[in-house]
Amino acid sequence: MPDPILLPIFGDGRKEWVECRFDPIQPRSSDQMEGRRTESQTFGTPYWVAGYVTRPLLRPEFGVMDAFMMQLDDNGQTFLAHDVFRPRPIAHDNGFPLSGSKAGGGAFSGDAVLQTITNPVTIVVSGLPAGFQLSRGDYVEIRKSPLVRSLHRVIAPATANAGGVATLSIRYRLDTGVFNTSSTVHFEKPSCTMQIDPGSYDGKKSWANRSPSFTATEVFFS
């Protein structure tokens, strides 16, 4: 399977999308029982679903979008999906990629080290700038390889100490059978691997509507 491709970029790369849906799905079944009881069971692995709508595109930009969709039609090609309205920790999102210096020296571009997995919902991350802030709802990506990624949201505020180390509470659980401390951590456009939902692309071209849209679902590799 080829490496996933990136979402298309139009113009300055900061205002391509006017609408984005990016949600986690936890498979679950619920049954209404006698005696006013409801029994619920969760199963399987949580996964992400997304929906994107572009801004009105110019004709050359439509060509970029059409080429992107044609690439994704080839034998299940995947792309890297992220929440375009929250592409980096909100405390550091000034509209430009993350930058600065790591607490231990060296440039910081959003990549960090998975130092410890305390448990599947608690991880220790190092290689951050001192004082780097994570807020509720920020995304964090754990990456084993270009295709094998696990995307999570931070559920409690955290701040890196003077050594650039922070403990993060995440949701959903990290699959420790696949990911370990040899994996890397990413805060700049944290992504998961998705495929376009068949038949979801709407690329109509008219003077009244020039905003293509599509939906997608996460797929797993190991």
Side-chain angles (χ1 to χ4, degrees):
M1 173 70 69
D3 287 349
I5 62 176
L6 300 177
L7 281 169
I9 294 176
F10 314 106
D12 63 6
R14 288 186 290 164
K15 297 180 180 179
E16 301 108 327
W17 310 96
V18 296
E19 187 176 317
C20 174
R21 176 173 64 90
F22 207 92
D23 300 311
I25 302 293
Q26 169 63 71
R28 183 180 68 184
S29 65
S30 296
D31 294 308
Q32 315 307 323
M33 313 297 288
E34 284 190 62
R36 293 184 56 82
R37 292 185 300 111
T38 299
E39 291 188 354
S40 297
Q41 180 182 21
T42 59
F43 55 92
T45 301
Y47 60 94
W48 294 89
V49 295
Y52 296 95
V53 181
T54 75
R55 61 167 170 75
L57 299 183
L58 302 174
R59 285 198 297 173
E61 294 171 334
F62 250 111
V64 174
M65 191 70 194
D66 288 341
F68 171 73
M69 294 306 304
M70 291 179 71
Q71 280 181 277
L72 292 175
D73 278 343
D74 294 341
N75 300 316
Q77 174 68 53
T78 58
F79 74 101
L80 296 181
H82 69 278
D83 186 338
V84 296
F85 282 85
R86 200 157 182 164
R88 55 192 64 90
I90 201 164
H92 306 278
D93 190 8
N94 58 8
F96 297 93
L98 291 171
S99 61
S101 299
K102 300 177 183 178
F108 178 71
S109 60
D111 303 334
V113 176
L114 182 56
Q115 180 172 297
T116 307
I117 302 173
T118 305
N119 57 57
V121 293
T122 308
I123 60 175
V124 180
V125 177
S126 60
L128 298 170
F132 191 78
Q133 296 180 26
L134 281 307
S135 306
R136 290 184 180 93
D138 286 342
Y139 292 90
V140 54
E141 174 196 331
I142 313 298
R143 186 185 307 170
K144 179 180 178 181
S145 70
L147 278 173
V148 184
R149 302 166 187 250
S150 187
L151 185 62
H152 306 265
R153 296 196 90 160
V154 175
I155 61 171
T159 302
N161 62 21
V165 179
T167 299
L168 305 183
S169 297
I170 59 173
R171 185 71 181 264
Y172 287 98
R173 298 166 61 89
L174 179 67
D175 186 343
T176 55
V178 176
F179 299 91
N180 53 44
T181 53
S182 65
S183 303
T184 53
V185 181
H186 304 271
F187 296 101
E188 176 65 31
K189 294 184 178 178
S191 304
C192 64
T193 308
M194 286 195 179
Q195 289 179 335
I196 298 291
D197 294 333
S200 71
Y201 180 58
D202 183 355
K204 67 173 73 71
K205 303 174 179 70
S206 73
W207 292 118
N209 185 350
R210 306 191 314 278
S211 296
S213 63
F214 63 91
T215 63
T217 302
E218 184 179 11
V219 290
F220 298 131
F221 299 89
S222 58

